[in-house]
């Protein structure tokens, strides 16, 4: 075996240090002409599913210590295509690893790792690196497949404390969860579940079989499972929900500060959305979940009150992310970032309802969630959320369903819907009091959706593509992103552009541009931190840092680079035109909120918003738009206690909202410095002291 490894590894090593050939070619180099004694060959297929729908496959070929993986899926018209080649040593540690293909949004993947003697070298989108090998260590892939979990697990299971240092940085730890039997082809089979902890913000949950071979990656919606076991989809996803819930329930128990007496926050200035200015030094009294008094800073403290000294900082009303797709993994991080309410723009309706129930019951930390009823047309490219329809009548019935449920703010129409079905859907929605927002259906244009009665357009690219696409071009694919390269050639004074803007003004149509996601898409470059992360990225786990240096789009030439940068400039100019015309711009991320919402808000300074105007739009204006302005959105007597404390003055410098000492949601206090370590995040500031009653 050693001779086979040494001979085959030479070719892989050369590939790792030079141009990286396709992974399958690398493995072919490692295989001898005749099968050595004791070397076994196996092939395993895995099914990739989202919310119970099959969307792709992963094929694994193992030939002794050499492994290849082919991984591909398509959901919502996009997805990754990856090939891996791996060679393991006798301790199941990788000594050569290559990955090639493309990411979900089309960026090339060209990654390699190798160990030669006492030196490890690697190459990925962040660049090249090397390190001395002084002890057993595991390489963490940047663009790997779910099968990598099996590679990590076999090595970690052999380690006494289930933990290994990692290349290029950090460590990996394996946590045992439970073992149980599942139905097998002949007899019940034993499987075990684990959590991988280290490179990302949250643990990754997965399953091994009785031989410690990879069986499944599990999450609340996304599943990769060994072929033949697809009927376990719901069981496995429910397990992931339970593990995640238990984790976050424990975090809630450990970090939520509930008070059995009134709480006075003293020595603070208050941001007033109406005046877009700060008050003088004040004292805010909270009883239960309600603000009961706002008094001068020198107001006397009652003996039965807790006191939190704001030390001259600023209280800001809780922020809104007006474009979320909430899961419980996002919920606590949004709270820690001061995001206390979110408009969910489309989800698995049952999963979302369960999450809302847990937040309202206080078992999980999370923002208030306002629901959108997602409706999508059936096609080879459809998304797999909400309700999927195949006819006008089914589309109408989906609207009626959301009307009857009674707890939705709006419906959201998606890419594969037929444009000609939309007018009837809009009429039905408006009849029962639901607003209508959405993408522009494929082969339609924004103008037609505005004329059909949309109340709000979703994503700025959905509006602008209508000005550069041909009638037969299909936006259900990545074209809805790559066609943005055409925008620099667009004359923004041209009649089609002005006509769309006129229609939006005439029909009082708002827009949710998701500005920051376009920045990430158009301006991210391999090897460079994408714009907007520099204020926090060095506090993040290594996996998050590496992802931030990986471009989303495929940028091959200087011309591509210039086109994408020009597209972002055009988007900025169009948003400025919309603002000047009085079109309501709503601030949402489509990126999970949290740190990304801080960047979303910051970007609107590009089009003339002042920090005060941005904070007003992200607080009171958003609350009023959602019909919640009498409860949240401002800090005043009678409102719910939803706000956060920062040391600085965000009206002078909006970046101040990125350094949060305390968040209060429904009168429960959270200190980010207590929350972030559980996510592998280095805290940004300390927590204020709490003085109990009588002290």
């Amino acid at each position: 075996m050693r001779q086979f490894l040494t001979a085959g590894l030479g070719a892989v090593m050369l590939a790792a240090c030079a141009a990286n050939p396709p992974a399958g070619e690398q493995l072919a180099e490692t295989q001898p002409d005749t099968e050595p004694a004791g070397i076994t060959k196996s092939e395993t297929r895995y099914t990739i599913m989202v919310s119970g729908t099959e969307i792709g496959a992963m094929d694994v070929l193992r030939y002794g210590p050499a492994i290849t993986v082919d991984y591909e899926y398509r959901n919502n018209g996009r997805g990754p295509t990856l090939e891996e080649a791996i060679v393991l040593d006798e301790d199941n540690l990788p000594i050569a690893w290559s990955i090639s293909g493309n990411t979900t949004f089309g960026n090339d993947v060209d990654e390699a790792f190798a160990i030669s003697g006492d030196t490890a070298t690697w190459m990925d989108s962040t660049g090249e690196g090397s390190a001395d090998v002084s002890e057993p260590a595991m390489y963490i892939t940047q663009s790997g497949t779910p099968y990598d979990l099996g590679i990590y697990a076999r090595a970690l299971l052999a380690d006494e404390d289930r933990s290994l240092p990692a290349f290029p940085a950090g460590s990996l730890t394996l946590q045992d969860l439970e073992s149980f039997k599942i139905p097998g082809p002949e007899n019940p089979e034993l499987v075990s579940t684990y959590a991988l902890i280290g490179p990302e913000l949250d643990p990754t949950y997965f399953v091994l079989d009785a031989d410690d071979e990879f069986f499944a990656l599990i999450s609340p919606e996304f599943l990769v499972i060994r072929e033949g076991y697809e009927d376990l989809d719901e069981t496995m996803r429910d397990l992931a929900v339970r593990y995640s819930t238990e984790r976050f329930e424990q975090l809630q128990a450990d970090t939520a500060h509930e008070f059995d007496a009134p709480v006075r926050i003293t020595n603070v200035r208050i941001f007033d959305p109406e005046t877009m200015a700060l008050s003088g030094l004040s004292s805010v009294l909270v009883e239960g979940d309600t603000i009961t008094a706002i008094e001068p800073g020198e107001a006397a403290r009652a003996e039965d009150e807790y006191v939190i000294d704001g030390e001259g900082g600023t209280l800001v009303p809780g922020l809104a992310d007006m474009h979320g797709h909430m899961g419980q993994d996002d919920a606590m991080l949004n709270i820690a970032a001061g995001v206390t309410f979110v408009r969910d723009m489309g989800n698995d309706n049952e999963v979302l309802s369960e999450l809302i129930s847990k937040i309202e019951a206080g078992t999980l930390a999370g923002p208030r969630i306002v629901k959108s009823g997602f409706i999508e047309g059936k096609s080879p490219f459809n998304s797999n959320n909400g309700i999927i329809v195949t006819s006008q009548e089914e589309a109408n019935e989906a609207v009626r369903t959301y009307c009857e449920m009674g707890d939705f703010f709006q419906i959201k129409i998606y890419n594969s819907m037929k444009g000609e079905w939309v007018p009837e859907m809009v009429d039905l929605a408006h009849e029962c009091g639901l607003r209508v927002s959405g993408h522009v259906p494929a082969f339609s244009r924004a103008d037609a959706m505005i004329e059909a009665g949309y109340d709000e357009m979703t994503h700025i690219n959905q509006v602008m593509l209508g000005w550069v696409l041909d009638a037969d071009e299909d936006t259900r694919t990545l074209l809805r992103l790559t066609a943005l390269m055409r925008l620099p050639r667009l004359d923004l004074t041209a009649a089609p552009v002005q006509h769309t803007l006129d229609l939006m003004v005439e029909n009082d149509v708002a827009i949710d541009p998701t500005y920051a996601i376009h920045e990430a898409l158009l301006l991210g470059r391999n090897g460079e931190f994408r714009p907007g992360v520099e204020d926090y990225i060095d506090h993040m786990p290594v996996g998050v840092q590496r992802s931030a240096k990986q471009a989303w789009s495929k940028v091959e030439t200087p011309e591509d680079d210039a086109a994408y940068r020009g597209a972002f400039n055009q988007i900025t100019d169009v948003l400025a035109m919309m603002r000047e015309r009085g079109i309501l711009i709503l601030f949402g991320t489509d990126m999970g909120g949290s740190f990304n919402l801080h960047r979303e808000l910051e970007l609107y300074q590009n089009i003339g918003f002042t920090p005060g105007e941005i904070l007003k739009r992200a607080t009171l204006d958003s609350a009023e738009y959602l019909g919640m302005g009498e409860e949240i959105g401002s800090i005043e007597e009678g409102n719910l206690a939803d706000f956060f404390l920062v040391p600085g003055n965000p009206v002078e410098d909006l970046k101040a909202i990125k350094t949060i000492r305390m968040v209060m949601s429904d009168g429960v206090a959270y200190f980010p410095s207590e929350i972030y370590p559980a996510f592998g995040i280095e805290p940004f500031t300390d927590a204020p002291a709490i003085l109990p009653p009588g002290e």
Side-chain angles (χ1 to χ4, degrees):
M1 178 182 293
R2 174 57 59 189
Q3 183 179 4
F4 159 61
L5 271 174
T6 303
L9 183 57
V12 182
M13 286 286 297
L14 289 172
C17 298
N20 187 18
E25 294 178 19
Q26 289 192 18
L27 185 63
E29 295 281 355
T30 72
Q31 297 188 16
D33 294 333
T34 59
E35 185 172 306
I39 298 294
T40 58
K41 181 178 180 180
S42 65
E43 297 182 48
T44 310
R45 167 162 279 216
Y46 297 84
T47 301
I48 305 170
M49 308 176 76
V50 62
S51 297
T53 300
E54 183 176 339
I55 60 172
M58 180 172 74
D59 292 303
V60 179
L61 169 63
R62 182 153 189 167
Y63 193 91
I67 304 165
T68 58
V69 184
D70 291 317
Y71 177 73
E72 183 174 53
Y73 70 81
R74 292 293 180 269
N75 183 43
N76 193 13
R78 59 192 183 223
T81 300
L82 298 169
E83 285 188 322
E84 286 187 292
I86 309 151
V87 179
L88 304 176
D89 67 12
E90 59 268 26
D91 296 321
N92 288 311
L93 291 168
I95 49 179
W97 202 326
S98 75
I99 309 169
S100 61
N102 60 263
T103 65
T104 294
F105 291 99
N107 186 22
D108 286 338
V109 173
D110 184 13
E111 182 175 355
F113 168 83
I115 292 179
S116 177
D118 296 329
T119 302
T121 59
W122 57 86
M123 174 184 70
D124 59 24
S125 70
T126 69
E128 298 180 359
S130 64
D132 293 336
V133 181
S134 58
E135 59 182 326
M138 175 61 68
Y139 176 66
I140 302 174
T141 59
Q142 181 189 48
S143 301
T145 72
Y147 189 77
D148 299 356
L149 294 165
I151 304 295
Y152 303 150
R154 291 294 291 271
L156 289 164
L157 285 168
D159 186 83
E160 185 175 353
D161 64 358
R162 303 286 174 89
S163 184
L164 285 170
F167 303 117
S171 64
L172 286 175
T173 299
L174 191 68
Q175 178 185 355
D176 298 62
L177 298 175
E178 62 180 316
S179 297
F180 52 91
K181 289 187 176 181
I182 59 171
E186 298 178 2
N187 299 302
E189 299 178 8
L190 183 69
V191 297
S192 299
T193 52
Y194 299 89
L196 183 76
I197 301 168
E200 304 297 336
L201 295 171
D202 294 299
T204 302
Y205 301 109
F206 64 99
V207 188
L208 301 181
D209 66 15
D211 297 320
D212 292 335
E213 293 292 341
F214 179 74
F215 183 80
L217 162 69
I218 61 176
S219 75
E221 293 186 34
F222 187 79
L223 179 75
V224 180
I225 192 165
R226 191 173 293 169
E227 187 177 50
Y229 295 86
E230 292 84 355
D231 288 348
L232 295 173
D233 168 71
E234 188 173 347
T235 299
M236 291 296 173
R237 290 193 291 122
D238 285 348
L239 275 177
V241 170
R242 175 161 65 85
Y243 297 148
S244 178
T245 299
E246 289 171 354
R247 163 175 155 80
F248 286 107
E249 285 180 345
Q250 187 60 54
L251 280 174
Q252 169 77 343
D254 292 343
T255 63
H257 295 264
E258 299 187 55
F259 301 96
D260 55 6
V263 182
R264 182 176 295 276
I265 300 106
T266 64
N267 197 21
V268 290
R269 301 182 188 276
I270 299 170
F271 174 74
D272 179 359
E274 295 287 3
T275 64
M276 295 178 287
L278 301 188
S279 71
L281 285 176
S282 302
S283 177
V284 177
L285 187 64
V286 175
E287 298 186 51
D289 62 359
T290 304
I291 300 168
T292 57
I294 298 178
E295 300 172 336
E298 65 273 11
R301 167 202 181 186
E303 289 187 1
D304 66 341
E305 294 173 356
Y306 289 88
V307 173
I308 298 174
D309 187 351
E311 299 179 1
T314 304
L315 282 189
V316 182
L319 302 172
D321 182 356
M322 295 294 279
H323 193 125
H325 296 278
M326 285 297 298
Q328 60 186 18
D329 290 356
D330 300 322
M332 178 167 271
L333 283 175
N334 271 281
I335 287 294
V339 183
T340 63
F341 62 114
V342 170
R343 180 177 58 166
D344 188 285
M345 293 296 284
N347 217 311
D348 180 308
N349 293 323
E350 185 176 344
V351 171
L352 184 63
S353 292
E354 185 176 353
L355 174 61
I356 292 171
S357 296
K358 292 173 182 175
I359 292 172
E360 290 178 345
T363 58
L364 292 180
R368 287 178 178 76
I369 299 174
V370 176
K371 298 194 293 186
S372 303
F374 192 90
I375 308 177
E376 167 73 307
K378 181 70 173 176
S379 83
F381 308 100
N382 64 258
S383 180
N384 288 284
N385 271 328
I387 301 175
I388 301 172
V389 302
T390 62
S391 67
Q392 176 78 72
E393 183 49 42
E394 287 184 8
N396 292 353
E397 187 59 31
V399 178
R400 295 187 189 102
T401 296
Y402 286 123
C403 288
E404 291 166 2
M405 288 182 180
D407 58 349
F408 286 81
F409 172 72
Q410 63 183 20
I411 62 168
K412 180 185 176 184
I413 294 170
Y414 211 60
N415 295 320
S416 291
M417 186 65 60
K418 290 187 180 298
E420 58 266 29
W421 298 348
V422 171
E424 287 187 26
M425 297 172 68
V426 171
D427 288 345
L428 287 169
H430 286 166
E431 284 174 11
C432 74
L434 293 180
R435 293 175 66 84
V436 179
S437 72
H439 288 205
V440 175
F443 312 112
S444 299
R445 294 293 181 266
D447 292 3
M449 297 303 102
I450 296 167
E451 291 168 346
Y454 267 34
D455 300 291
E456 180 185 323
M457 303 301 301
T458 304
H459 303 301
I460 187 63
N461 67 312
Q462 293 285 318
V463 174
M464 296 179 70
L465 285 173
W467 304 329
V468 296
L469 289 177
D470 295 332
D472 60 349
E473 290 188 289
D474 191 347
T475 54
R476 296 174 298 179
T477 68
L478 278 179
L479 181 68
R480 67 179 180 267
L481 307 177
T482 58
L484 295 175
M485 296 176 72
R486 305 176 193 178
L487 290 181
R489 302 192 297 269
L490 178 66
D491 178 5
L492 298 183
T493 67
V497 176
Q498 298 304 312
H499 180 65
T500 301
L501 299 183
D502 289 343
L503 282 175
M504 293 183 72
V505 173
E506 292 166 9
N507 292 276
D508 194 23
V509 175
I511 185 163
D512 160 27
T514 60
Y515 196 6
I517 203 170
H518 288 86
E519 179 188 48
L521 176 77
L522 299 170
L523 301 187
R525 297 294 180 267
N526 286 338
E528 304 172 8
F529 284 127
R530 72 170 183 266
V533 304
E534 63 273 6
D535 292 332
Y536 67 84
I537 196 64
D538 60 339
H539 289 250
M540 296 294 115
V542 61
V544 178
Q545 293 191 32
R546 292 173 79 195
S547 295
K549 281 190 172 183
Q550 185 173 38
W552 292 12
S553 300
K554 184 176 182 177
V555 182
E556 294 185 293
T557 66
E559 290 75 20
D560 291 345
D561 178 77
Y564 278 127
R565 293 185 188 280
F568 185 72
N569 292 337
Q570 290 283 72
I571 285 172
T572 297
D573 289 345
V574 168
L575 288 173
M577 293 164 62
M578 289 178 169
R579 177 178 178 272
E580 290 168 3
R581 287 172 175 253
I583 294 169
L584 179 63
I585 299 173
L586 301 167
F587 302 157
T589 65
D590 199 18
M591 296 173 73
S594 189
F595 301 106
N596 292 313
L597 181 66
H598 297 165
R599 179 57 176 174
E600 177 82 15
L601 303 186
E602 188 175 40
L603 279 174
Y604 285 99
Q605 294 173 110
N606 290 348
I607 65 169
F609 279 96
T610 67
E613 290 171 331
I614 290 169
L615 290 174
K616 179 176 187 290
R617 182 62 47 85
T619 56
L620 183 59
D621 288 351
S622 294
E624 290 180 341
Y625 187 82
L626 297 174
M628 303 163 68
E630 294 183 0
E631 293 184 311
I632 60 174
S634 59
I635 300 171
E636 53 187 291
E637 290 183 16
N639 274 15
L640 293 172
D642 280 27
F643 48 73
F644 61 96
L645 171 67
V646 298
N649 181 345
V651 174
E652 293 181 352
D653 183 359
L654 192 60
K655 286 183 184 292
I657 65 171
K658 300 182 179 185
T659 307
I660 297 176
R661 301 188 68 197
M662 179 189 73
V663 180
M664 191 165 274
S665 177
D666 274 340
V668 178
Y670 299 89
F671 302 133
S673 60
E674 295 179 350
I675 292 171
Y676 284 146
F679 294 88
I681 301 172
E682 180 186 345
F684 299 86
T685 187
D686 62 350
I690 303 175
L691 189 65
E695 294 187 16

